[in-house]
Amino acid sequence: MPNTVAASSVASAPYTADPCTSNDETAEPAGLHIEDDTPIRAASTNRIYAALDLGTNNCRLLVAKPVRTGFQVIDAFSRIVRLGEGLASSGRLSDAAQRRAISALKVCADKVKRRKVHMMRHVATEACRRADNTQEFVSRVFAETGLALDVVSPEEEARLAMLGCQALLPRSANYGLVFDIGGGSTELILVRNRPRGISEIMAWTSVPWGVVSLADAYGDVTLDSVEYGEMKAMLTAHLSAFEDRARVSQRVKEGRLCMLGTSGTVTTLASLHLKLPFYDRRQVDGCWVPSSSLRTLSQELFGLTVEERAALPCIGPERADLMLAGCAIIEAILEFWPVEQVRVADRGIREGILRVLMQRDGISL
């Protein structure tokens, strides 16, 4: 079965093209799965494509077909599985976490089969990069679901996130700073904005802290202001190292940079800022939120108990105990690079995968 297990070390380097991370979107990606023998690059708009992202916290699937404006989602699935729960202390994916993930993956496999998907890619990220027993888990997933996971490098994860989000960078911005807060890591990607083409990745880093790993390290129920400050300080050290290479601050001062955030944390904060009674992707995706509002909301959530956070619209019990870790990451980013507002994206890796698959198959987006 096809499978790629990436090195477990955390990457932080200038972007350099290689076979897996080329700016050529039609290059063959690792972990590509084609379900029939029809020719590639036939530009058939009747084909169905699927992208699966198994992260440290979530399992998410998109099934889509190409349309003139890009692609139309015809099926989707998202479930919090907490695959990386306890990973920091044990170095392994626990049996309980594997069962939760496989249960969700079985739902995805059924959707892929029922939708008669032509081409797909299933990627796994930080938790699987770090765990000692990843190969056993990947084999188990294939045996029980038929899905062949491709464990991608941090660089490939950053590239796919950028490809999925770049359409939200305004034409007026010369540069974009995309931040993607995951369960086990946070990706930062500095891009040169090219509104009529593929944005160029200038520098990137994968910070080895996400909402699950930070929450595991510090807890949540009794988190005090000192520990919350320590969370932010841990992120700041990595941001400083990235700043030394990428020189983001200069572009912020010149007013030439758009900050674009994608993650459950930032979309949740955006929904609170918009005072939505329930989460509505149509209102959140692409909206602008003042940085002052994101920081104020983060401090307000810090002052609540887990139960009080869980009772708020758009958070609920599944996210309540991870929100403070995500807020600490966002606050650290906004304190280090004080932009006036952040554009919010409810899109990312899966959309990037779909774009690559369709363009590889001869479809112009």
Side-chain angles (χ1 to χ4, degrees), residues 268-287:
T268 299
L269 289 176
S271 70
L272 294 174
H273 167 75
L274 295 171
K275 296 181 169 53
L276 300 180
F278 53 86
Y279 188 79
D280 184 352
R281 182 186 184 276
R282 294 170 298 177
Q283 296 191 59
V284 171
D285 185 49
C287 76

Side-chain angles (χ1 to χ4, degrees), residues 174-175 248-257:
N174 298 105
Y175 302 94
V248 176
S249 295
Q250 183 60 35
R251 296 177 174 93
V252 171
K253 290 177 182 177
E254 294 170 356
R256 298 186 296 157
L257 180 140

Side-chain angles (χ1 to χ4, degrees), residues 31-48:
L32 180 69
H33 310 296
I34 303 171
E35 291 300 301
D36 56 45
D37 57 0
T38 54
I40 301 298
R41 301 182 186 274
S44 172
T45 56
N46 295 322
R47 291 176 176 174
I48 306 299

